[in-house]
Amino acid sequence: VKQVANLALVSSARDMVSTAYASTKESHPYIRSVCDAAEKGVESMAGAAASCVQPVLTTLEPHVAAVSEYASKGLDKLGEKIPILQKPVEEIVSDTKELVSSRAADAKDAVSS
């Protein structure tokens, strides 16, 4: 999970969503109160779930470690085959705009000639 969260694409997308969420909460008092209540509910449920799941995780720890190792290798290969995962959202958007603009200019030139 940490490895996925540290991918540039995932990390920058999370930051964008987090910024938008915080801005929305700050700008709209009614939404803020609903979000605050939801956050408290999620925190209490997560705490309760963690205490229930911990004994099971302790028992399964060797298996979880093996799966984690396998997943890590898979993510490394995925990152090699899909390099866009290593780019932040802003760079992907910028590159896409440039590509579309270039293709549109090429099409315009082709039509003009």
XYZ file of all heavy atoms in Angstrom:
822
model
N 0.836 -1.187 0.000
C 0.000 0.000 0.000
C 0.880 1.248 0.000
O 0.610 2.203 -0.722
C -0.964 -0.003 1.214
C -1.690 1.320 1.336
C -1.961 -1.140 1.102
N 1.954 1.209 0.810
C 2.861 2.368 0.845
C 3.503 2.599 -0.514
O 3.658 3.743 -0.940
C 3.940 2.171 1.910
C 3.436 2.296 3.316
C 4.555 2.069 4.320
C 4.027 2.086 5.733
N 5.083 1.791 6.712
N 3.870 1.514 -1.173
C 4.520 1.649 -2.472
C 3.568 2.261 -3.496
O 3.967 3.117 -4.288
C 5.021 0.284 -2.949
C 5.935 0.354 -4.144
C 6.526 -0.998 -4.504
O 6.285 -1.996 -3.836
N 7.304 -1.046 -5.564
N 2.314 1.859 -3.478
C 1.318 2.442 -4.382
C 1.109 3.914 -4.034
O 1.054 4.775 -4.920
C -0.017 1.666 -4.319
C -1.110 2.400 -5.077
C 0.154 0.262 -4.871
N 0.995 4.209 -2.751
C 0.778 5.596 -2.323
C 1.942 6.495 -2.702
O 1.758 7.698 -2.910
C 0.546 5.647 -0.816
N 3.149 5.927 -2.813
C 4.324 6.725 -3.157
C 4.536 6.908 -4.657
O 5.421 7.655 -5.057
C 5.575 6.111 -2.527
C 5.607 6.328 -1.033
O 5.069 7.297 -0.520
N 6.234 5.414 -0.326
N 3.726 6.233 -5.482
C 3.815 6.483 -6.917
C 3.468 7.946 -7.171
O 2.520 8.483 -6.588
C 2.850 5.587 -7.695
C 3.177 4.101 -7.750
C 2.006 3.325 -8.353
C 4.440 3.865 -8.554
N 4.231 8.591 -8.035
C 4.029 10.027 -8.280
C 2.596 10.330 -8.705
O 1.997 11.297 -8.219
C 5.016 10.523 -9.331
N 2.036 9.509 -9.576
C 0.672 9.735 -10.046
C -0.326 9.655 -8.898
O -1.180 10.534 -8.725
C 0.311 8.713 -11.132
C -1.114 8.768 -11.671
C -1.374 10.101 -12.352
C -1.353 7.626 -12.638
N -0.211 8.632 -8.085
C -1.139 8.437 -6.961
C -0.942 9.528 -5.912
O -1.909 10.113 -5.420
C -0.955 7.039 -6.343
C -1.807 6.861 -5.098
C -1.275 5.956 -7.368
N 0.292 9.819 -5.590
C 0.599 10.828 -4.575
C 0.089 12.212 -4.977
O -0.537 12.912 -4.182
C 2.117 10.875 -4.343
O 2.442 11.880 -3.431
N 0.349 12.602 -6.218
C -0.098 13.931 -6.647
C -1.622 13.996 -6.759
O -2.232 15.015 -6.431
C 0.559 14.336 -7.968
O 0.151 13.497 -9.025
N -2.252 12.897 -7.188
C -3.718 12.866 -7.251
C -4.312 12.966 -5.847
O -5.282 13.697 -5.618
C -4.196 11.591 -7.942
N -3.713 12.248 -4.887
C -4.169 12.320 -3.497
C -4.031 13.745 -2.964
O -4.944 14.265 -2.310
C -3.360 11.350 -2.642
C -3.797 11.331 -1.171
C -2.806 10.605 -0.263
N -1.535 11.308 -0.285
C -0.355 10.737 -0.460
N -0.251 9.444 -0.635
N 0.749 11.454 -0.479
N -2.919 14.392 -3.270
C -2.713 15.769 -2.817
C -3.748 16.712 -3.420
O -4.265 17.595 -2.728
C -1.302 16.245 -3.167
C -0.226 15.536 -2.364
O -0.555 14.894 -1.336
O 0.955 15.626 -2.764
N -4.071 16.521 -4.693
C -5.074 17.376 -5.346
C -6.448 17.192 -4.713
O -7.157 18.162 -4.436
C -5.142 17.071 -6.847
C -3.937 17.537 -7.627
S -4.010 17.053 -9.362
C -5.270 18.161 -9.959
N -6.818 15.945 -4.480
C -8.120 15.659 -3.872
C -8.161 16.203 -2.446
O -9.158 16.795 -2.022
C -8.423 14.145 -3.898
C -9.639 13.805 -3.052
C -8.624 13.686 -5.328
N -7.084 16.027 -1.713
C -7.014 16.518 -0.338
C -7.143 18.039 -0.286
O -7.863 18.587 0.554
C -5.686 16.084 0.291
O -5.581 16.565 1.602
N -6.476 18.716 -1.195
C -6.557 20.178 -1.260
C -7.977 20.624 -1.606
O -8.508 21.559 -0.991
C -5.550 20.717 -2.296
O -4.233 20.333 -1.906
C -5.630 22.224 -2.420
N -8.591 19.964 -2.568
C -9.962 20.313 -2.953
C -10.934 20.057 -1.796
O -11.829 20.861 -1.530
C -10.385 19.513 -4.184
N -10.740 18.944 -1.095
C -11.588 18.600 0.048
C -11.461 19.658 1.138
O -12.457 20.163 1.660
C -11.186 17.218 0.573
C -11.956 16.741 1.780
C -13.251 16.273 1.655
C -11.372 16.737 3.046
C -13.959 15.818 2.759
C -12.064 16.288 4.151
C -13.361 15.826 4.004
O -14.051 15.383 5.100
N -10.219 20.011 1.482
C -9.995 21.013 2.529
C -10.562 22.365 2.129
O -11.177 23.060 2.950
C -8.494 21.130 2.815
N -10.385 22.731 0.878
C -10.909 24.013 0.388
C -12.434 24.038 0.434
O -13.039 25.036 0.834
C -10.419 24.245 -1.045
O -11.002 25.399 -1.586
N -13.056 22.937 0.049
C -14.520 22.848 0.068
C -15.039 22.936 1.499
O -16.005 23.657 1.771
C -14.993 21.539 -0.594
O -14.521 21.519 -1.940
C -16.502 21.433 -0.593
N -14.381 22.221 2.403
C -14.792 22.273 3.814
C -14.671 23.689 4.364
O -15.534 24.144 5.114
C -13.920 21.334 4.658
C -14.374 19.908 4.677
C -13.486 19.033 5.522
C -13.501 19.435 6.965
N -12.762 18.506 7.834
N -13.615 24.369 3.975
C -13.373 25.712 4.482
C -14.369 26.719 3.906
O -14.789 27.647 4.584
C -11.941 26.134 4.111
C -11.462 27.356 4.844
C -9.983 27.598 4.614
O -9.188 26.672 4.837
O -9.650 28.721 4.206
N -14.776 26.503 2.675
C -15.651 27.454 1.989
C -17.133 27.277 2.318
O -17.908 28.216 2.163
C -15.474 27.323 0.477
O -14.153 27.573 0.114
N -17.533 26.092 2.728
C -18.957 25.799 2.922
C -19.199 25.222 4.315
O -18.936 24.045 4.562
C -19.432 24.807 1.853
C -19.170 25.267 0.458
N -19.909 26.251 -0.149
C -18.216 24.896 -0.442
C -19.453 26.458 -1.368
N -18.410 25.652 -1.567
N -19.723 26.030 5.232
C -19.901 25.583 6.622
C -20.799 24.352 6.773
O -20.538 23.501 7.626
C -20.524 26.779 7.327
C -20.493 27.908 6.373
C -20.132 27.390 5.023
N -21.837 24.235 5.966
C -22.730 23.079 6.091
C -22.016 21.799 5.663
O -22.155 20.754 6.296
C -24.006 23.272 5.265
C -24.859 24.409 5.770
C -25.122 25.519 4.975
C -25.373 24.398 7.072
C -25.894 26.574 5.443
C -26.140 25.441 7.554
C -26.396 26.532 6.741
O -27.150 27.572 7.214
N -21.271 21.898 4.587
C -20.513 20.740 4.131
C -19.455 20.379 5.172
O -19.197 19.201 5.428
C -19.881 21.003 2.752
C -20.990 21.097 1.699
C -18.881 19.919 2.383
C -20.516 21.448 0.313
N -18.841 21.398 5.789
C -17.824 21.157 6.809
C -18.392 20.322 7.947
O -17.779 19.357 8.390
C -17.271 22.467 7.358
C -16.213 22.226 8.437
C -15.681 23.506 9.083
N -15.490 24.572 8.128
C -15.947 25.804 8.306
N -16.617 26.139 9.386
N -15.738 26.725 7.400
N -19.579 20.670 8.414
C -20.139 19.937 9.553
C -20.452 18.486 9.172
O -20.219 17.567 9.966
C -21.385 20.646 10.096
O -22.387 20.717 9.110
N -20.937 18.272 7.962
C -21.214 16.911 7.495
C -19.913 16.126 7.360
O -19.812 14.973 7.802
C -21.979 16.935 6.151
C -22.063 15.540 5.547
C -23.375 17.517 6.335
N -18.907 16.762 6.787
C -17.603 16.095 6.610
C -16.956 15.777 7.954
O -16.391 14.691 8.133
C -16.675 16.961 5.769
S -17.144 17.065 4.034
N -17.043 16.711 8.892
C -16.468 16.476 10.222
C -17.129 15.272 10.897
O -16.456 14.432 11.483
C -16.598 17.721 11.106
C -15.657 18.841 10.689
O -14.696 18.565 9.934
O -15.881 19.990 11.117
N -18.449 15.204 10.785
C -19.166 14.075 11.377
C -18.772 12.767 10.694
O -18.549 11.744 11.360
C -20.672 14.299 11.269
N -18.667 12.799 9.377
C -18.272 11.598 8.632
C -16.858 11.168 9.004
O -16.590 9.972 9.185
C -18.369 11.852 7.134
N -15.960 12.134 9.145
C -14.577 11.812 9.513
C -14.513 11.159 10.895
O -13.795 10.177 11.088
C -13.723 13.078 9.505
C -13.440 13.609 8.110
C -12.787 14.979 8.130
O -12.275 15.411 9.184
O -12.792 15.635 7.075
N -15.278 11.675 11.835
C -15.290 11.092 13.184
C -15.844 9.675 13.150
O -15.338 8.781 13.836
C -16.100 11.971 14.138
C -15.387 13.251 14.496
C -16.228 14.142 15.394
C -15.489 15.458 15.623
N -16.302 16.444 16.302
N -16.876 9.456 12.357
C -17.444 8.117 12.224
C -16.448 7.136 11.627
O -16.303 6.010 12.106
N -15.755 7.572 10.592
C -14.758 6.707 9.952
C -13.621 6.401 10.920
O -13.143 5.255 11.002
C -14.224 7.362 8.658
C -12.999 6.621 8.130
C -15.311 7.401 7.595
N -13.177 7.409 11.674
C -12.105 7.190 12.648
C -12.501 6.165 13.704
O -11.717 5.273 14.039
C -11.722 8.507 13.335
C -10.915 9.438 12.471
C -10.655 10.783 13.147
O -10.910 10.925 14.364
O -10.187 11.691 12.439
N -13.714 6.283 14.218
C -14.132 5.335 15.257
C -14.307 3.932 14.687
O -13.939 2.940 15.332
C -15.410 5.810 15.953
O -16.485 5.826 15.056
N -14.838 3.810 13.468
C -14.980 2.497 12.837
C -13.619 1.889 12.534
O -13.411 0.689 12.724
C -15.812 2.596 11.551
C -17.291 2.808 11.807
S -18.324 2.651 10.331
C -17.556 3.760 9.184
N -12.687 2.725 12.067
C -11.344 2.220 11.759
C -10.662 1.727 13.027
O -9.991 0.679 13.015
C -10.513 3.310 11.088
N -10.827 2.451 14.112
C -10.237 2.026 15.382
C -10.812 0.704 15.858
O -10.082 -0.192 16.293
N -12.123 0.580 15.754
C -12.768 -0.673 16.165
C -12.345 -1.827 15.262
O -12.049 -2.932 15.742
C -14.288 -0.508 16.129
N -12.277 -1.582 13.966
C -11.881 -2.640 13.034
C -10.439 -3.050 13.271
O -10.111 -4.243 13.237
C -12.069 -2.159 11.592
N -9.578 -2.080 13.538
C -8.163 -2.390 13.765
C -7.986 -3.290 14.979
O -7.192 -4.241 14.948
C -7.367 -1.103 13.936
N -8.719 -3.016 16.043
C -8.576 -3.848 17.238
C -9.102 -5.261 17.008
O -8.563 -6.230 17.555
C -9.270 -3.201 18.436
O -10.662 -3.125 18.220
N -10.121 -5.412 16.184
C -10.654 -6.746 15.880
C -9.763 -7.518 14.920
O -9.647 -8.745 15.022
C -12.047 -6.619 15.261
S -13.294 -5.994 16.389
N -9.143 -6.819 13.995
C -8.363 -7.459 12.947
C -6.934 -7.781 13.402
O -6.308 -8.696 12.876
C -8.348 -6.558 11.686
C -7.378 -7.064 10.643
C -9.744 -6.455 11.102
N -6.433 -7.066 14.387
C -5.040 -7.231 14.810
C -4.663 -8.683 15.137
O -3.633 -9.158 14.674
C -4.719 -6.309 15.988
C -3.242 -6.250 16.326
C -2.390 -5.831 15.143
O -2.673 -4.860 14.475
N -1.332 -6.591 14.880
N -5.474 -9.425 15.917
C -5.093 -10.828 16.186
C -4.987 -11.673 14.917
O -4.102 -12.522 14.792
C -6.216 -11.338 17.087
C -6.853 -10.125 17.660
C -6.668 -9.038 16.647
N -5.877 -11.426 13.971
C -5.841 -12.178 12.711
C -4.580 -11.812 11.930
O -3.906 -12.679 11.371
C -7.110 -11.887 11.869
C -7.031 -12.548 10.509
C -8.351 -12.331 12.622
N -4.251 -10.519 11.894
C -3.052 -10.080 11.179
C -1.787 -10.679 11.790
O -0.861 -11.049 11.073
C -2.958 -8.559 11.162
C -3.951 -7.837 10.258
C -3.774 -6.328 10.369
C -3.797 -8.270 8.819
N -1.747 -10.765 13.091
C -0.585 -11.345 13.759
C -0.408 -12.801 13.339
O 0.710 -13.247 13.052
C -0.740 -11.241 15.288
O -0.907 -9.861 15.633
C 0.466 -11.798 16.006
N -1.497 -13.527 13.269
C -1.454 -14.930 12.851
C -1.028 -15.067 11.388
O -0.269 -15.972 11.034
C -2.836 -15.590 13.040
O -3.244 -15.425 14.393
C -2.809 -17.054 12.679
N -1.514 -14.157 10.556
C -1.240 -14.243 9.120
C 0.011 -13.487 8.680
O 0.304 -13.427 7.482
C -2.449 -13.703 8.343
C -3.750 -14.479 8.484
C -4.865 -13.756 7.756
C -3.587 -15.900 7.961
N 0.750 -12.937 9.619
C 1.888 -12.071 9.287
C 2.876 -12.683 8.292
O 3.270 -12.012 7.331
C 2.611 -11.634 10.558
C 3.641 -10.566 10.312
C 4.182 -9.996 11.606
O 3.689 -10.332 12.696
O 5.113 -9.204 11.503
N 3.282 -13.936 8.439
C 4.223 -14.490 7.448
C 3.633 -14.530 6.037
O 4.323 -14.264 5.063
C 4.504 -15.904 7.953
C 4.049 -15.936 9.368
C 3.009 -14.872 9.520
N 2.349 -14.846 5.948
C 1.688 -14.900 4.643
C 1.539 -13.510 4.051
O 1.727 -13.315 2.850
C 0.330 -15.587 4.762
C 0.412 -16.957 5.369
N 1.015 -18.022 4.741
C -0.009 -17.425 6.569
C 0.957 -19.090 5.505
N 0.337 -18.758 6.635
N 1.202 -12.541 4.907
C 1.062 -11.158 4.456
C 2.409 -10.644 3.941
O 2.477 -9.958 2.924
C 0.518 -10.263 5.592
C 0.589 -8.788 5.215
C -0.914 -10.658 5.939
N 3.488 -10.996 4.618
C 4.825 -10.572 4.182
C 5.153 -11.150 2.809
O 5.710 -10.449 1.949
C 5.868 -10.998 5.209
N 4.806 -12.400 2.578
C 5.072 -13.027 1.276
C 4.258 -12.355 0.175
O 4.770 -12.059 -0.907
C 4.756 -14.528 1.342
N 2.992 -12.111 0.447
C 2.130 -11.437 -0.528
C 2.638 -10.024 -0.787
O 2.656 -9.554 -1.932
C 0.664 -11.426 -0.044
C -0.196 -10.521 -0.910
C 0.102 -12.841 -0.032
N 3.067 -9.355 0.261
C 3.594 -7.998 0.128
C 4.828 -7.971 -0.767
O 4.974 -7.102 -1.626
C 3.920 -7.426 1.504
O 4.439 -6.125 1.393
N 5.708 -8.928 -0.566
C 6.920 -9.029 -1.395
C 6.555 -9.261 -2.856
O 7.090 -8.622 -3.764
C 7.794 -10.178 -0.877
C 9.055 -10.410 -1.658
C 10.111 -9.348 -1.430
O 10.058 -8.659 -0.397
O 10.984 -9.199 -2.305
N 5.615 -10.159 -3.090
C 5.164 -10.464 -4.453
C 4.525 -9.228 -5.087
O 4.804 -8.893 -6.236
C 4.174 -11.638 -4.405
C 3.691 -12.084 -5.749
C 4.513 -12.800 -6.610
C 2.395 -11.789 -6.162
C 4.069 -13.212 -7.854
C 1.937 -12.195 -7.405
C 2.780 -12.903 -8.242
O 2.331 -13.302 -9.474
N 3.681 -8.540 -4.330
C 3.020 -7.331 -4.840
C 4.035 -6.236 -5.142
O 3.913 -5.517 -6.142
C 1.988 -6.835 -3.831
N 5.032 -6.109 -4.301
C 6.075 -5.104 -4.508
C 6.816 -5.342 -5.819
O 7.049 -4.407 -6.594
C 7.054 -5.115 -3.338
O 8.065 -4.165 -3.525
N 7.170 -6.588 -6.079
C 7.846 -6.915 -7.341
C 6.933 -6.635 -8.532
O 7.377 -6.130 -9.560
C 8.286 -8.375 -7.337
C 9.440 -8.652 -6.402
C 9.809 -10.120 -6.371
C 10.925 -10.373 -5.366
N 11.272 -11.797 -5.264
N 5.653 -6.954 -8.385
C 4.694 -6.689 -9.452
C 4.551 -5.199 -9.726
O 4.484 -4.771 -10.881
N 4.534 -4.408 -8.659
C 4.432 -2.959 -8.838
C 5.686 -2.387 -9.498
O 5.597 -1.461 -10.309
C 4.192 -2.273 -7.495
C 2.763 -2.336 -6.984
C 2.688 -1.834 -5.550
C 1.845 -1.517 -7.871
N 6.834 -2.941 -9.160
C 8.075 -2.504 -9.807
C 8.007 -2.759 -11.315
O 8.354 -1.888 -12.118
C 9.286 -3.215 -9.205
C 9.617 -2.740 -7.802
O 9.145 -1.651 -7.404
O 10.341 -3.480 -7.096
N 7.547 -3.946 -11.692
C 7.425 -4.277 -13.114
C 6.383 -3.391 -13.790
O 6.574 -2.938 -14.917
C 7.060 -5.753 -13.290
C 8.210 -6.684 -13.011
C 7.840 -8.128 -13.281
C 9.030 -9.017 -12.957
N 8.745 -10.425 -13.225
N 5.289 -3.147 -13.098
C 4.240 -2.289 -13.642
C 4.776 -0.880 -13.876
O 4.498 -0.262 -14.903
C 3.045 -2.253 -12.680
C 1.760 -1.644 -13.187
C 1.206 -2.446 -14.352
C 0.735 -1.583 -12.063
N 5.561 -0.380 -12.927
C 6.162 0.948 -13.066
C 7.103 1.030 -14.253
O 7.199 2.066 -14.912
N 7.799 -0.076 -14.546
C 8.690 -0.113 -15.705
C 7.900 -0.114 -17.008
O 8.272 0.541 -17.972
C 9.572 -1.365 -15.657
C 10.597 -1.366 -14.547
C 11.287 -2.718 -14.388
O 11.110 -3.606 -15.254
O 11.998 -2.881 -13.375
N 6.803 -0.858 -17.043
C 6.019 -0.989 -18.267
C 5.083 0.188 -18.503
O 4.705 0.469 -19.633
C 5.223 -2.297 -18.242
C 6.108 -3.513 -18.301
C 5.307 -4.789 -18.351
C 6.243 -5.957 -18.257
N 6.198 -6.874 -19.336
N 4.690 0.868 -17.424
C 3.778 2.015 -17.536
C 4.437 3.216 -16.853
O 4.128 3.550 -15.708
C 2.402 1.706 -16.902
C 1.842 0.406 -17.468
C 1.438 2.854 -17.136
C 0.575 -0.062 -16.802
N 5.363 3.878 -17.536
C 6.124 4.969 -16.915
C 5.264 6.160 -16.487
O 5.691 6.954 -15.651
C 7.129 5.372 -17.992
C 6.771 4.653 -19.225
C 5.783 3.597 -18.892
N 4.064 6.261 -17.009
C 3.198 7.379 -16.623
C 2.889 7.348 -15.124
O 2.597 8.377 -14.526
C 1.898 7.380 -17.469
C 1.203 8.740 -17.391
C 0.954 6.283 -17.022
C 0.086 8.900 -18.389
N 2.983 6.170 -14.504
C 2.739 6.054 -13.060
C 3.776 6.826 -12.243
O 3.529 7.162 -11.091
C 2.750 4.583 -12.635
C 1.638 3.705 -13.189
C 1.881 2.256 -12.815
C 0.290 4.177 -12.689
N 4.919 7.099 -12.856
C 5.988 7.812 -12.152
C 5.881 9.332 -12.325
O 6.717 10.070 -11.816
C 7.358 7.341 -12.660
C 7.568 5.840 -12.606
C 7.400 5.261 -11.207
O 7.673 5.898 -10.213
N 6.933 4.025 -11.135
N 4.860 9.789 -13.059
C 4.702 11.219 -13.298
C 3.550 11.773 -12.459
O 2.531 11.109 -12.286
C 4.382 11.485 -14.772
C 5.499 11.152 -15.719
C 5.093 11.508 -17.138
C 6.211 11.257 -18.117
N 5.835 11.702 -19.468
N 3.693 13.001 -11.953
C 2.579 13.618 -11.226
C 1.455 14.018 -12.186
O 1.679 14.199 -13.386
C 3.215 14.850 -10.568
C 4.446 15.123 -11.337
C 4.887 13.820 -11.943
N 0.275 14.163 -11.650
C -0.909 14.490 -12.448
C -0.682 15.759 -13.275
O -1.034 15.814 -14.460
C -2.153 14.660 -11.542
C -3.328 15.204 -12.328
C -2.521 13.343 -10.895
N -0.081 16.773 -12.662
C 0.134 18.045 -13.353
C 0.960 17.856 -14.625
O 0.675 18.456 -15.661
C 0.838 19.055 -12.432
C 0.060 19.428 -11.199
C 0.247 18.445 -10.041
O 1.033 17.466 -10.164
O -0.414 18.631 -9.003
N 1.989 17.016 -14.532
C 2.836 16.774 -15.699
C 2.076 16.002 -16.768
O 2.218 16.281 -17.969
C 4.087 15.997 -15.267
C 5.099 15.822 -16.376
C 6.359 15.115 -15.912
O 6.634 15.069 -14.696
O 7.075 14.594 -16.788
N 1.262 15.046 -16.368
C 0.472 14.271 -17.324
C -0.512 15.179 -18.051
O -0.657 15.109 -19.273
C -0.262 13.116 -16.618
C 0.752 12.112 -16.080
C -1.248 12.434 -17.561
C 0.162 11.086 -15.131
N -1.170 16.056 -17.301
C -2.124 16.991 -17.913
C -1.399 17.914 -18.888
O -1.855 18.135 -20.011
C -2.868 17.803 -16.823
C -3.660 18.938 -17.437
C -3.785 16.883 -16.021
N -0.260 18.440 -18.474
C 0.521 19.328 -19.333
C 0.967 18.613 -20.605
O 0.836 19.157 -21.714
C 1.735 19.848 -18.562
O 2.563 20.611 -19.394
N 1.488 17.402 -20.464
C 1.926 16.629 -21.630
C 0.756 16.337 -22.566
O 0.906 16.399 -23.796
C 2.567 15.306 -21.193
C 3.907 15.486 -20.505
O 4.442 16.614 -20.508
O 4.418 14.483 -19.933
N -0.400 16.023 -21.989
C -1.580 15.726 -22.797
C -2.037 16.963 -23.563
O -2.364 16.885 -24.755
C -2.723 15.189 -21.913
O -2.256 14.021 -21.222
C -3.946 14.847 -22.741
N -2.029 18.117 -22.893
C -2.407 19.364 -23.574
C -1.467 19.655 -24.735
O -1.904 20.037 -25.821
C -2.384 20.531 -22.583
C -3.550 20.560 -21.641
C -3.435 21.751 -20.698
C -4.577 21.808 -19.708
N -4.432 22.935 -18.769
N -0.165 19.469 -24.498
C 0.814 19.693 -25.561
C 0.586 18.749 -26.735
O 0.648 19.155 -27.895
C 2.232 19.528 -25.020
C 2.690 20.649 -24.125
C 4.100 20.415 -23.577
O 4.894 19.715 -24.235
O 4.383 20.929 -22.488
N 0.338 17.484 -26.435
C 0.109 16.496 -27.481
C -1.135 16.835 -28.296
O -1.108 16.814 -29.526
C -0.019 15.094 -26.872
C -0.281 13.959 -27.859
C 0.888 13.800 -28.825
C -0.519 12.657 -27.113
N -2.223 17.177 -27.623
C -3.471 17.515 -28.315
C -3.273 18.766 -29.160
O -3.699 18.833 -30.319
C -4.631 17.693 -27.305
C -5.847 18.300 -27.976
C -4.981 16.351 -26.667
N -2.600 19.753 -28.600
C -2.338 20.991 -29.333
C -1.489 20.721 -30.568
O -1.765 21.240 -31.661
C -1.629 21.986 -28.411
O -1.319 23.154 -29.105
N -0.476 19.894 -30.421
C 0.392 19.542 -31.539
C -0.383 18.804 -32.626
O -0.254 19.106 -33.813
C 1.547 18.677 -31.035
O 2.295 18.181 -32.105
N -1.203 17.840 -32.205
C -2.003 17.073 -33.179
C -3.023 17.973 -33.880
O -3.261 17.822 -35.080
C -2.726 15.908 -32.505
C -1.807 14.878 -31.897
C -1.035 14.139 -32.972
N -0.245 13.088 -32.350
C 0.986 12.792 -32.669
N 1.583 13.445 -33.637
N 1.642 11.839 -32.056
N -3.606 18.903 -33.127
C -4.566 19.822 -33.726
C -3.868 20.723 -34.744
O -4.405 20.982 -35.831
C -5.238 20.659 -32.647
N -2.659 21.182 -34.412
C -1.902 22.011 -35.350
C -1.538 21.215 -36.599
O -1.628 21.735 -37.724
C -0.646 22.551 -34.665
N -1.142 19.954 -36.417
C -0.816 19.099 -37.559
C -2.043 18.904 -38.450
O -1.950 18.973 -39.687
C -0.311 17.737 -37.087
C 1.065 17.801 -36.437
O 1.732 18.846 -36.560
O 1.460 16.800 -35.791
N -3.186 18.679 -37.828
C -4.426 18.490 -38.597
C -4.788 19.766 -39.335
O -5.200 19.720 -40.507
C -5.547 18.068 -37.663
N -4.627 20.904 -38.699
C -4.935 22.198 -39.317
C -4.029 22.432 -40.510
O -4.479 22.852 -41.583
C -4.764 23.323 -38.292
C -5.085 24.685 -38.833
C -4.889 25.737 -37.749
C -5.099 27.134 -38.316
N -4.808 28.176 -37.336
N -2.737 22.111 -40.344
C -1.789 22.267 -41.456
C -2.140 21.342 -42.607
O -2.063 21.738 -43.775
C -0.367 21.968 -40.965
C 0.167 23.034 -40.020
O -0.439 24.122 -39.942
O 1.169 22.765 -39.317
N -2.547 20.107 -42.290
C -2.903 19.147 -43.331
C -4.128 19.613 -44.102
O -4.174 19.508 -45.324
C -3.152 17.778 -42.705
N -5.111 20.167 -43.389
C -6.333 20.653 -44.033
C -6.008 21.886 -44.889
O -6.507 22.034 -46.010
C -7.435 20.956 -42.989
C -8.591 21.689 -43.609
C -7.895 19.674 -42.332
N -5.153 22.758 -44.368
C -4.786 23.975 -45.083
C -4.052 23.669 -46.388
O -4.250 24.345 -47.393
C -3.892 24.861 -44.228
O -4.594 25.306 -43.105
N -3.214 22.646 -46.362
C -2.449 22.344 -47.568
C -3.287 21.497 -48.525
O -3.123 21.476 -49.687
C -1.153 21.628 -47.219
O -1.418 20.378 -46.629
